[in-house]
Amino acid sequence: MTAGRVELIRTERLSGIAEYAYAATAPAGSRYIFLAGACPLALDGSTAGVGDYASQAEAAVANLVTALDAAGASLGDVVSTRVLVASARREDLGTAWAVVRAAFGDHDVPSTLLGVTVLGYPDQLVEVEAVAAVAP
């Protein structure tokens, strides 16, 4: 990876089935940005895409991008993510994950995908948390 950027780490000693790198590093002296979980909330506070995992994942990623931008960063500066999905069904987790994964494209950062019982806002199904690092 280019000097001054997040470097994604892969190894042949771990399964290649995961759709993300297993580790990432940030350049020395980077400014770290710890983002709260991005929720699928509209500006008026209503929950977007009620009942739709993919739509909520899209809204959450859009809000994550907005928060990153406000902090002077982009998706390419993300070091890791955590995707929370309010469901016990693996299919629902997969639906949300596919949207998040597509948003990151080739920058397939280490990520954890979790099925949870409930999230904080009414009708909320998806939340995306991230850590980013911006080189000096």
Side-chain angles (χ1 to χ4, degrees), residues 30-132:
S30 291
R31 177 175 61 91
Y32 282 88
I33 304 163
F34 298 89
L35 294 112
C39 301
L41 298 178
L43 201 51
D44 67 1
S46 63
T47 302
V50 173
D52 184 339
Y53 288 92
S55 179
Q56 286 205 9
E58 289 172 5
V61 169
N63 286 339
L64 177 68
V65 168
T66 299
L68 284 163
D69 183 61
S74 69
L75 288 178
D77 298 309
V78 171
V79 177
S80 67
T81 65
R82 183 174 299 133
V83 180
L84 300 102
V85 182
S87 178
R89 292 174 17 102
R90 189 170 284 121
E91 297 82 12
D92 298 334
L93 276 68
T95 296
W97 170 250
V99 172
V100 174
R101 174 67 186 86
F104 278 86
D106 290 338
H107 189 65
D108 56 344
V109 299
S111 188
T112 299
L113 176 62
L114 299 168
V116 300
T117 303
V118 66
L119 291 166
Y121 292 99
D123 300 312
Q124 182 183 359
L125 300 172
V126 178
E127 188 163 327
V128 182
E129 186 181 318
V131 175

